[in-house]
Amino acid sequence: MATLHSAPRFTQIDGLKNTISNALGDHLVEAREEHGELLFHVQRGSIETALRTLRDDFEYQQLMEIAGVDYPNRNERFEVVYMLLSVTTNNRIMVKCRASEDTPVPTVTTLWPNAGWLEREVFDMYGVLFDGNTDLRRILTDYGFEGHPFRKDFPLTGYVELRYSEDEKRVVYEPVKLAQDLRQFDFMSPWEGADYVLPGDEKADMPPIDDPKTTESPKQTGAGEKADDKAAEKVSADAPAEKDGGPDAPPPEPTEDQPGRKKRVGKTTDTAKATKPKKGTD
């Protein structure tokens, strides 16, 4: 028996973009559809108001995630993306705003308590400030960590490395020392390959495997009457085994004398009766 649910399996988004765009009004910068989901770009200062409208008027009850994106070439290099879920309509939308290093984004902890942890993560990884967050501290990196590791200009190896010192009996920070330089990749698909020849690939010019190599004459294989006659010759004609041995050679002499065995009773040797010696032979 099928179970009926109040929420549909999927929600049709036809017409939803225009409805939400009209509700957001001047707070909206851009609205578009990507990969079957709606994306709304709103003003940075209006993010709390826009999300409140989506929560109260359009039943997007849950804040699932807050993510950051870094575009170093832009004047406002960061994008803060809010991912909302409507349990009632079984639909997800994304709302984003732009920010720079010195332009804080209004906090949404007034709407969802879990936004405090999510905003701390974006602050830790990207350095985005959230105005109104009363506990904006690092959440993933270590104490005293410098910089924000998810920024595009942050070095892959970081600035310092830590280890436990047996001499000082504590964790110490040291400058990063690499045994070799980092490899530079062209970020191309390994299945398609690069447009240039990589070192070592110039040796890969081999005949096609689909075309098997065949011999047109016995000369190419080395076979023939001369090869058969030469193969019949004995290479070890003067070897000791060839001189002393052969098909008619006598068996070797025994190395020690063995006493004669007593005759057994019967014609077979695998019965209990046959193992008994004849009477009077002892």
Side-chain angles (χ1 to χ4, degrees), residues 98-118:
R98 293 185 179 181
S100 60
E101 300 180 15
D102 55 352
T103 54
V105 179
T107 183
V108 293
T109 53
T110 56
L111 304 177
W112 295 283
N114 66 320
W117 290 73
L118 301 176

Side-chain angles (χ1 to χ4, degrees), residues 52-68:
R52 184 184 298 274
T53 301
L54 294 173
R55 187 195 66 175
D56 298 342
D57 299 343
F58 292 92
E59 298 181 327
Y60 286 95
Q61 301 95 341
Q62 295 187 4
L63 173 65
M64 305 303 297
E65 182 62 270
I66 301 179

Side-chain angles (χ1 to χ4, degrees), residues 65-66 116-126 135-150 162 173:
E65 182 62 270
I66 301 179
W117 290 73
L118 301 176
E119 290 175 354
R120 287 178 60 184
E121 182 178 352
V122 176
F123 163 72
D124 193 0
M125 297 291 102
Y126 295 94
D135 190 22
L136 196 61
R137 297 175 294 136
R138 291 186 180 269
I139 192 173
L140 296 177
T141 54
D142 196 11
Y143 299 103
F145 190 89
E146 296 182 3
H148 304 279
F150 276 11
L162 58 89
Y173 291 84

Side-chain angles (χ1 to χ4, degrees), residues 20 24 27-28 30 32 34 37-55 60-69 78-86 91-100 103-123 126 128-133 136:
I20 295 179
L24 296 179
H27 305 305
L28 183 66
E30 180 188 8
R32 65 178 184 270
E34 289 185 356
E37 293 185 354
L38 295 179
L39 175 63
F40 297 92
H41 179 199
V42 301
Q43 300 286 350
R44 179 178 61 257
S46 305
I47 186 65
E48 196 269 347
T49 304
L51 294 181
R52 184 184 298 274
T53 301
L54 294 173
R55 187 195 66 175
Y60 286 95
Q61 301 95 341
Q62 295 187 4
L63 173 65
M64 305 303 297
E65 182 62 270
I66 301 179
V69 188
F78 302 115
E79 283 188 355
V80 182
V81 184
Y82 302 82
M83 304 176 189
L84 307 181
L85 169 65
S86 174
N91 184 29
R92 296 174 184 265
I93 62 172
M94 292 183 291
V95 183
K96 69 176 182 179
C97 65
R98 293 185 179 181
S100 60
T103 54
V105 179
T107 183
V108 293
T109 53
T110 56
L111 304 177
W112 295 283
N114 66 320
W117 290 73
L118 301 176
E119 290 175 354
R120 287 178 60 184
E121 182 178 352
V122 176
F123 163 72
Y126 295 94
V128 178
L129 301 175
F130 291 90
D131 186 18
N133 191 320
L136 196 61

Side-chain angles (χ1 to χ4, degrees), residues 10 49 51 77 90 102 108 126 183 187 195 219 239 244-245 263 273 275:
F10 59 92
T49 304
L51 294 181
R77 61 183 297 181
N90 192 20
D102 55 352
V108 293
Y126 295 94
R183 296 180 58 188
F187 300 102
D195 296 334
K219 294 181 179 180
D244 299 339
K263 296 181 179 181
K273 189 175 182 181
T275 60

